[in-house]
Amino acid sequence: MKFGKRLKQQIEETLPAWRDKFLSYKELKKLVRLISSAESPEFGKADAGAEFMYLLNNEIDKFNAFFMEQEEDFIIRHKELQQRIKRVIDTWGPGGTKPSEAEYKDEMAKVRKDMVDFHGEMVLLVNYSNINYTGLAKILKKYDKRTGGLLRLPFIQKVLQQPFFVTDLVSKLVKECENTIDQVFPVEVEAEIVKEQREAITVAGKGIFRNTVAALLSMQEIRRGSSTYGHFSLPPLDFPDSDLIHSFQLNSPITTV
Amino acid sequence: MSSPLPALTSPFKDKYTTLPSSSSSPSIATSDMHVSALTHVQRPQNPTFISQSSRGVASLPPVNSSFPQSTASLNHTPGNEDASWSLDQLQKFLDLPENAAAPAPNQLAESGTDVMASEDHDKKTDWHEWADDFINVPDPDWSRVLDDTNVLDSKLKVSKQQPQFHQNQPAPHGEFSSNAYPSSTTPTKPRMRWTPELHEAFLEAVNLLGGSERATPKGILKLMNVEGLTIYHVKSHLQKYRTARYMPESSEGTSEKKVTSIEKMKSIDLKTSIGITEALRMQMEVQKQLHEQLEIQRNLQLRIEEQGRYLQMMFEKQKKVENEKSGAPSSALDEAPSPLSGLNHLPCNNDKSDSEALHQDKSRIGIDSGNAGSKNEKGTADVSMKQKALETESTHHVEKNDDESGFPVLKRARTEK
């Protein structure tokens, strides 16, 4: 029960635009209920069962398509960003024509912001992949439990190899992005974050930043121990700066324009 | 951004291509697959699928009107069969469900396979077999499957100069994750997975041709000279590329305009309060953490499933041994090889300790007490079917040192937590 709600909530808070790209958890759950409750009409059961499988496979196709589409975009944009940085540094920075220091700073700031957001987007895609996987695992577990079937294990094996789950490339791009940012925008001495600043961030916590904070918190929630905690469950999540991130109190969900 | 391709890779095809399929086609119970495939296609209530399938000619598995033939083609890796793929075949495929009687059981009965027979326990059976097929079909070992993820990394480096499409390979890497049906009869493009190397080649070609505005898909395609790449792929990629280029300064060309405007708002707010740098730095921190956690989570999930599989195999091995000893379970267990000894206390135990929880799952395979007799029987048959497929692998796995420690590692993982 909780996962479905959580899932919905996270989608709404982070990526409403991707809403229909996520797992149709509720639907699948309905079908599982249907399968297990269908009485003697065998084709009632078979029908629901077939529908379940059909939907499952469809969902996987959906994930794959969407994921690879995004991935392709990321590949292109990643390259473009790299080139853009080079261009900016060459034309406006030291060694270039140096039209104006201010302009250079300005451009660099823009690039930096774009890079950080881009990084965030990619991470959100990885998050997307993961959430869907988690949902699949859960629904399969439910299925097995309700119908006494043995679908989970083999099916999950298949899922593990699906393109949408193999996020290696995107992760690699994420790391490259991090490296670039670290190189081009070296982190200065860590300023102390005053409380007001934190609040300011809260208020301004929109866009990608907000999305990723939401995603992180959500992940923590999902992994909290549950009644069905078992061998296949993930341990509770504890990440550094957990408190800090919790303090980014997310206010009312954003209504995207 | 080009419209998302209809991801029509039929589910079955995906299974067969993303798994490293061997060329041998297991004949066991593949008929179910077709039955299920038919069930998929025949959905009258699902117009989108049908309309998609009429577009997605290439992506549906090549099914002839007779089942046995299609069995073979379904199980083959992409390649020669594709050439024979034609619209006619698809027509037959689509026609089949229309001709068949509407209600499921009748049609299924007609299809000549008795898998979806009307008896209840056979129904359950069917899902078992269906599930089995996932295991049966990909004959090559699971270890190879797992290794693939490592192989992929090296492939990335190797293929820098000449990105090739290896159609026999499992999904990622500038390849078609679905079968590349490069037949000219198909108007739609099979889903393809781009890689940075491929993109580099693309860029080179574009630059040679005078830039993104002047380059034509055809020219690019020719210059790139990558096997399996179609003009449709190039077209859509070019379109994306152009979009990305001409969304310069304000924000990266996201397809989500809404996100864009939000980001703008954010930047204004931040400027007034704490300064962009700090905000960006924090944003980066959060994102990095999220990513790290995602990676950790993913690895955990992989490991969990891997060990689950290992245990499953051990379980089945034990079951097999039991069967052979015909009704002397304890003595059979005594004689089982050492990795199995840990499984001695499994069955019928409802204790909630960690190691048992997993075995609860496994106990359904056949040993447990709760199941109906008929199911139990079927469970055994299932196990033996799985055995056939897994025999080579199980011995392989048992001998591997890593897996020897699989079981205790699992326990360790729990306590570390």
Side-chain angles (χ1 to χ4, degrees):
Chain A
M1 306 297 159
K2 262 186 85 180
F3 178 79
K5 262 198 199 159
R6 263 259 138 235
L7 177 63
K8 205 157 185 215
Q9 186 185 28
Q10 180 175 124
I11 295 175
E12 291 308 314
E13 276 184 3
T14 67
L15 297 157
W18 288 7
R19 192 181 299 124
D20 54 351
K21 304 293 184 196
F22 278 89
L23 182 65
S24 316
Y25 188 73
K26 219 171 180 182
E27 285 250 1
L28 286 164
K29 224 171 71 173
K30 275 191 209 154
L31 286 171
V32 171
R33 276 219 200 99
L34 207 61
I35 297 175
S36 54
S37 64
E39 286 298 319
S40 56
E42 291 116 19
F43 53 84
K45 224 167 185 165
D47 240 15
E51 173 118 29
F52 180 78
M53 291 308 305
Y54 172 73
L55 186 55
L56 260 187
N57 283 304
N58 249 30
E59 292 291 288
I60 292 186
D61 288 343
K62 178 174 87 176
F63 302 153
N64 283 338
F66 180 67
F67 186 87
M68 289 196 283
E69 189 93 14
Q70 292 292 315
E71 192 183 50
E72 189 178 345
D73 271 335
F74 287 152
I75 291 176
I76 295 177
R77 285 164 60 189
H78 180 76
K79 188 76 193 161
E80 285 310 298
L81 265 174
Q82 307 271 14
Q83 290 184 337
R84 183 173 149 199
I85 287 185
K86 254 197 216 142
R87 265 195 328 261
V88 171
I89 291 181
D90 287 343
T91 50
W92 278 299
T97 49
K98 288 199 208 172
S100 119
E101 189 74 24
E103 263 187 46
Y104 173 61
K105 269 200 178 158
D106 214 35
E107 285 300 314
M108 279 307 248
K110 280 195 204 146
V111 170
R112 182 177 189 176
K113 179 175 144 356
D114 285 344
M115 267 225 121
V116 173
D117 281 344
F118 178 63
H119 178 267
E121 277 187 60
M122 289 198 285
V123 175
L124 282 172
L125 185 67
V126 179
N127 183 53
Y128 162 87
S129 160
N130 208 284
I131 285 237
N132 286 325
Y133 174 83
T134 305
L136 280 174
K138 281 183 184 284
I139 201 72
L140 285 169
K141 184 176 170 192
K142 277 202 207 303
Y143 177 88
D144 276 2
K145 189 166 167 210
R146 295 282 199 127
T147 66
L150 286 176
L151 184 57
R152 202 197 73 83
L153 202 64
F155 197 90
I156 256 310
Q157 298 301 331
K158 171 192 135 170
V159 172
L160 289 176
Q161 296 146 52
Q162 294 299 308
F164 85 88
F165 186 72
V166 182
T167 52
D168 299 21
L169 182 55
V170 179
S171 283
K172 190 169 94 102
L173 289 178
V174 167
K175 298 238 171 71
E176 278 180 25
C177 206
E178 283 170 17
N179 288 337
T180 308
I181 291 182
D182 285 340
Q183 280 170 17
V184 179
F185 307 101
V187 177
E188 298 103 23
V189 176
E190 213 163 288
E192 222 185 80
I193 302 174
V194 190
K195 213 156 194 208
E196 324 152 13
Q197 289 182 339
R198 248 187 240 179
E199 280 165 16
I201 291 182
T202 304
V203 168
K206 296 176 176 135
I208 302 288
F209 180 51
R210 185 184 195 283
N211 298 351
T212 47
V213 169
L216 203 48
L217 293 177
S218 192
M219 192 198 282
Q220 190 174 42
E221 277 301 309
I222 290 176
R223 280 172 59 172
R224 214 154 272 208
S226 76
S227 57
T228 53
Y229 198 66
H231 235 5
F232 285 96
S233 309
L234 292 166
L237 175 61
D238 186 27
F239 51 86
D241 294 335
S242 170
D243 299 330
L244 172 64
I245 294 185
H246 268 283
S247 76
F248 295 153
Q249 284 309 309
L250 301 170
N251 301 330
S252 55
I254 258 194
T255 43
T256 52
V257 176
Chain B
M1 188 160 146
S2 60
S3 57
L5 300 176
L8 317 171
T9 50
S10 132
F12 291 100
K13 194 160 40 62
D14 259 355
K15 286 195 289 288
Y16 290 109
T17 54
T18 56
L19 294 167
S21 33
S22 63
S23 49
S24 63
S25 28
S27 52
I28 300 173
T30 44
S31 45
D32 323 346
M33 225 77 76
H34 298 289
V35 167
S36 314
L38 280 181
T39 316
H40 286 197
V41 176
Q42 77 143 34
R43 321 223 106 245
Q45 314 93 298
N46 205 331
T48 50
F49 182 71
I50 299 289
S51 62
Q52 276 179 347
S53 55
S54 58
R55 275 183 293 146
V57 171
S59 315
L60 288 171
V63 174
N64 299 333
S65 46
S66 61
F67 287 116
Q69 284 168 295
S70 43
T71 303
S73 35
L74 252 188
N75 292 331
H76 267 286
T77 45
N80 314 331
E81 298 77 44
D82 302 338
S84 58
W85 183 228
S86 71
L87 271 168
D88 295 336
Q89 291 178 336
L90 176 68
Q91 247 351 89
K92 286 183 197 156
F93 182 60
L94 286 176
D95 282 347
L96 270 169
E98 290 163 28
N99 295 338
N106 290 352
Q107 184 205 334
L108 300 175
E110 272 179 11
S111 70
T113 67
D114 10 333
V115 176
M116 286 226 187
S118 36
E119 288 100 307
D120 241 352
H121 78 97
D122 276 354
K123 279 282 175 293
K124 291 181 190 169
T125 306
D126 181 51
W127 296 122
H128 291 170
E129 287 176 339
W130 217 90
D132 287 348
D133 293 325
F134 291 129
I135 296 188
N136 284 344
V137 171
D139 268 357
D141 344 15
W142 290 113
S143 58
R144 190 182 138 204
V145 168
L146 283 178
D147 285 345
D148 274 334
T149 44
N150 301 328
V151 169
L152 293 181
D153 275 342
S154 46
K155 287 247 181 245
L156 252 182
K157 293 168 196 152
V158 164
S159 58
K160 261 189 183 129
Q161 300 308 322
Q162 264 287 329
Q164 287 288 328
F165 286 168
H166 304 284
Q167 296 188 356
N168 292 330
Q169 297 276 328
H173 283 291
E175 293 146 17
F176 298 106
S177 64
S178 59
N179 277 340
Y181 291 111
S183 59
S184 45
T185 57
T186 84
T188 53
K189 342 149 204 190
R191 170 54 64 183
M192 194 196 103
R193 197 163 195 186
W194 282 81
T195 66
E197 291 70 32
L198 209 50
H199 183 65
E200 292 280 343
F202 170 84
L203 286 178
E204 271 176 41
V206 166
N207 289 330
L208 279 175
L209 291 171
S212 59
E213 287 305 301
R214 292 178 61 185
T216 64
K218 191 165 179 193
I220 299 174
L221 183 64
K222 266 194 152 169
L223 266 181
M224 281 179 76
N225 191 27
V226 174
E227 191 183 311
L229 186 63
T230 73
I231 196 165
Y232 301 104
H233 298 134
V234 175
K235 251 194 202 169
S236 79
H237 197 75
L238 184 61
Q239 197 178 349
K240 285 183 195 262
Y241 178 64
R242 285 177 179 158
T243 317
R245 290 212 98 184
Y246 295 102
M247 287 285 212
E249 308 305 296
S250 55
S251 72
E252 279 302 288
T254 64
S255 52
E256 319 298 339
K257 293 294 184 176
K258 310 161 187 185
V259 178
T260 307
S261 54
I262 293 171
E263 285 168 32
K264 280 187 182 158
M265 287 196 306
K266 167 180 158 194
S267 70
I268 294 174
D269 283 319
L270 289 176
K271 267 184 185 161
T272 57
S273 44
I274 60 165
I276 300 186
T277 314
E278 198 48 42
L280 287 179
R281 199 192 62 79
M282 290 186 70
Q283 182 176 342
M284 235 3 229
E285 268 315 299
V286 171
Q287 286 168 186
K288 271 187 185 165
Q289 282 212 21
L290 177 56
H291 186 234
E292 190 182 325
Q293 291 303 324
L294 284 169
E295 287 198 299
I296 293 174
Q297 185 160 312
R298 182 163 178 269
N299 285 332
L300 266 180
Q301 285 163 341
L302 276 170
R303 233 179 65 185
I304 286 176
E305 292 306 327
E306 181 184 340
Q307 289 178 333
R309 236 179 35 231
Y310 169 76
L311 282 165
Q312 166 105 341
M313 278 189 322
M314 289 297 102
F315 208 85
E316 284 160 5
K317 216 174 146 80
Q318 173 198 7
K319 186 83 174 83
K320 183 186 175 194
V321 167
E322 269 187 31
N323 287 345
E324 284 170 5
K325 300 295 174 185
S326 59
S330 40
S331 53
L333 290 178
D334 288 340
E335 298 173 48
S338 48
L340 293 179
S341 59
L343 302 173
N344 276 355
H345 11 273
L346 294 178
C348 311
N349 201 337
N350 278 329
D351 177 329
K352 281 301 177 186
S353 71
D354 273 351
S355 51
E356 301 299 321
L358 172 61
H359 303 140
Q360 286 279 314
D361 236 340
K362 303 307 158 212
S363 66
R364 267 191 271 116
I365 293 176
I367 293 186
D368 76 84
S369 44
N371 287 337
S374 56
K375 187 169 176 207
N376 221 348
E377 231 169 56
K378 211 37 196 151
T380 311
D382 284 349
V383 168
S384 47
M385 263 168 32
K386 287 180 183 177
Q387 281 304 311
K388 286 176 199 153
L390 289 173
E391 236 160 60
T392 44
E393 297 148 34
S394 53
T395 42
H396 180 242
H397 275 271
V398 171
E399 283 152 25
K400 254 168 120 186
N401 282 339
D402 302 331
D403 287 345
E404 289 276 345
S405 61
F407 189 67
V409 168
L410 186 60
K411 283 191 163 156
R412 236 188 286 131
R414 292 294 133 201
T415 52
E416 268 168 9
K417 173 187 59 79

